[in-house]
Amino acid sequence: MPPNVYRPHSVTITEFGAVGDGVTLNTKAFQNAIFYLNSFADKGGAQLFVPAGRWLTGSFNLISHLTLSLDKDAVIIGSSDSSDWPVIDPLPSYGRGRELPGKRHQSLIFGSNLTDVIITGANGTIDGQGAIWWDWFHNHTLNHTRPHLVELMYSTNVVISNLTFKNSPFWNIHPVYCSQVLVQHVTILAPLNSPNTDGIVPDSSTNVCINHCYVRSGDDVVVIKSGWDEYGISFAQPSSNISISNITGETGGGAGIALGSEMSGGISEVRAEGLCIVNSLHGIRIKTAPGRGGYVKNVYIADVSMDNVSMAIRITGNYGEHPDDKYDRNALPVISNITIKDVVGINIGVAGILEGIQGDNFSSICLSNVSLSVQSPHPWNCSLIEGYSNSVIPESCEQLRSNCRQTPVCYDGSSLAAMRAQAQRHKSSDSQFLNSFLKLASF
């Protein structure tokens, strides 16, 4: 499945009464247009084109075999009235809204149980008008968890490309329980002090490719998740086979690339390369806690540059809150086979704080060819971890001073090569998308 697919049927949102004046509410127009296009789903699919203008709308649902395409001067604007964002059930792997108990607001652009969905444009814009939601958050006047800009659930063959996302109320792009997902050539913008405006958040999803993106936001640039405590453990849907490349990011309160802290379904087979992280709190971060269970393993991060980053690498074993008091305090996460190599950083505050959990040492943490210009006289702080290092400046902490060149333990990303071989054996229609994903993600 290439990033663009020919659709034999196409309509323009104005054909359904939409007015692009930035004032008229166009929710019904989007809903009616998509309802009409559903009749073409089995006839090659359809395209909904949004021309130049400012198109105010509440939340609307996508359908399978649809391309939502924006003109370069088109702006889809989220309504500032919370009643235009329906309240829906919490994700089963979270058990409740991420911020508040109970339900959550539906994303501006939403879909569930879909296949063959493309959201694209000539760098058109989707603006969530998040400022009012951030105010409600800070003032503790929210009744339900804030909405994302885009969320697709239980969907396959998804492409999000060539768009600018601005001012999301909460996370920006959230594929959850999805497979065969491509996110490329997107720009994500939010103030550096905006709360929880994470950029791209694959969650309990597999075969995901994220490349050539620029993110400037208040929280993690790219973060991988897989469910929260006992709910994520029970739902048991991991995030795996994820490729991240050519990302430039700046974050006020997060990391350039992060894993967790909601990782109870497991995260594995992650490869991230070609990352540029500037003016940020953290560069690379893994977040977990007792009660999470699950695992983060087989993670390969390489070719990273950082400038003006407070802490280059952070692994935290006691991060974040819990959904309720029913979590199992003995459910300890497994953190192993983490390789970070070929990293250069200037204007770095602290090289790293790497902290495991008492009785649950994090293992096979490998650093190689890492050169950081660090301001702190105490560049590393490590506890309850085990691993290896080679060519690390300033010299890594004692727990990592075995030479990773002399041991086969360090993860080298080879499992993704096995994924490529497996893809060659697939004969289903989905394998065409996976092969495209693998081509894009070839290292």
Side-chain angles (χ1 to χ4, degrees):
M1 182 175 166
N4 289 295
V5 173
Y6 172 71
R7 306 294 194 191
H9 307 280
S10 180
V11 298
T12 299
I13 191 64
T14 52
E15 297 175 48
F16 296 84
V19 179
D21 60 3
V23 177
T24 304
L25 189 66
N26 295 297
T27 311
K28 285 294 184 184
F30 278 98
Q31 292 171 342
N32 291 340
I34 291 170
F35 179 80
Y36 169 76
L37 292 176
N38 198 37
S39 62
F40 300 104
D42 59 350
K43 302 178 179 65
Q47 172 179 274
L48 175 58
F49 178 67
V50 181
R54 295 176 59 80
W55 309 92
L56 181 69
T57 181
S59 174
F60 60 90
N61 291 18
L62 303 182
I63 56 173
S64 294
H65 309 294
L66 175 74
T67 297
L68 175 64
S69 179
L70 278 67
D71 181 86
K72 65 181 178 64
D73 295 317
V75 184
I76 293 177
I77 304 172
S79 169
S80 58
D81 184 343
S82 65
S83 66
D84 292 324
W85 306 66
V87 174
I88 60 174
D89 288 335
L91 294 170
S93 58
Y94 284 71
R96 47 160 276 188
R98 184 58 186 84
E99 297 181 291
L100 296 168
K103 297 187 176 184
R104 63 200 184 103
H105 285 282
Q106 181 174 291
S107 62
L108 184 63
I109 299 174
F110 181 77
S112 183
N113 292 290
L114 305 181
T115 187
D116 178 19
V117 176
I118 299 173
I119 305 170
T120 190
N123 202 33
T125 300
I126 299 172
D127 186 343
Q129 294 201 111
I132 191 167
W133 293 92
W134 308 332
D135 287 344
W136 292 335
F137 170 78
H138 288 304
N139 295 331
H140 305 286
T141 55
L142 288 167
N143 294 317
H144 305 284
T145 293
R146 288 172 286 158
H148 313 303
L149 269 187
V150 175
E151 181 179 76
L152 296 174
M153 301 173 57
Y154 304 107
S155 297
T156 62
N157 291 6
V158 173
V159 174
I160 301 173
S161 69
N162 300 92
L163 289 169
T164 294
F165 297 85
K166 292 176 60 178
N167 301 321
S168 177
F170 201 40
W171 305 343
N172 280 267
I173 299 172
H174 186 220
V176 57
Y177 321 138
C178 290
S179 63
Q180 276 77 267
V181 178
L182 172 63
V183 180
Q184 67 173 7
H185 299 294
V186 303
T187 298
I188 296 174
L189 303 173
L192 293 175
N193 63 351
S194 55
N196 312 110
T197 51
D198 302 64
I200 303 166
V201 189
D203 194 342
S204 292
S205 293
T206 60
N207 298 335
V208 178
C209 181
I210 302 165
N211 67 67
H212 294 92
C213 298
Y214 174 81
V215 180
R216 184 180 187 272
S217 71
D219 213 323
D220 298 325
V221 171
V222 177
V223 54
I224 304 169
K225 300 178 181 289
S226 69
W228 198 11
D229 284 6
E230 71 269 26
Y231 302 103
I233 293 171
S234 175
F235 196 73
Q237 186 158 336
S239 284
S240 64
N241 294 345
I242 296 178
S243 162
I244 302 164
S245 62
N246 298 302
I247 306 296
T248 298
E250 179 178 0
T251 167
I257 179 169
L259 299 96
S261 73
E262 306 89 335
M263 39 62 68
S264 303
I267 297 172
S268 68
E269 277 62 60
V270 175
R271 184 155 181 154
E273 294 182 294
L275 311 179
C276 178
I277 305 160
V278 299
N279 305 326
S280 297
L281 183 61
H282 297 101
I284 300 164
R285 190 164 196 194
I286 298 174
K287 303 176 279 188
T288 187
R292 291 288 193 265
Y295 55 83
V296 177
K297 63 182 182 180
N298 295 354
V299 175
Y300 182 91
I301 301 173
D303 186 18
V304 181
S305 65
M306 303 183 194
D307 185 2
N308 192 27
V309 173
S310 298
M311 187 176 303
I313 303 168
R314 187 165 192 182
I315 300 176
T316 306
N318 189 20
Y319 180 92
E321 66 278 8
H322 302 278
D324 51 40
D325 60 3
K326 299 176 183 177
Y327 71 95
D328 179 0
R329 289 164 176 77
N330 296 316
L332 300 179
V334 175
I335 310 298
S336 66
N337 288 359
I338 312 295
T339 295
I340 300 171
K341 65 180 295 187
D342 301 334
V343 179
V344 175
I346 60 174
N347 302 312
I348 306 298
V350 175
I353 298 179
L354 315 180
E355 300 171 320
I357 297 171
Q358 187 70 45
D360 180 32
N361 284 15
F362 298 168
S363 62
S364 297
I365 310 298
C366 299
L367 307 181
S368 176
N369 192 27
V370 175
S371 178
L372 303 171
S373 175
V374 175
Q375 299 162 2
S376 172
H378 306 288
W380 296 96
N381 185 347
C382 302
S383 62
L384 304 172
I385 66 163
E386 303 166 3
Y388 310 90
S389 62
N390 178 69
S391 300
V392 175
I393 302 172
E395 186 178 17
S396 63
C397 47
E398 185 176 353
Q399 294 90 332
L400 302 180
R401 287 183 187 169
S402 298
N403 192 320
C404 58
R405 286 186 174 178
Q406 299 171 359
T407 175
V409 174
C410 290
Y411 178 64
D412 63 1
S414 59
S415 59
L416 288 189
M419 183 179 73
R420 285 196 292 269
Q422 183 184 27
Q424 298 303 318
R425 296 193 293 271
H426 282 284
K427 300 301 181 183
S428 68
S429 60
D430 282 353
S431 71
Q432 293 180 347
F433 179 89
L434 182 56
N435 289 335
S436 176
F437 156 75
L438 292 166
K439 181 178 179 182
L440 285 162
S442 61
F443 308 113

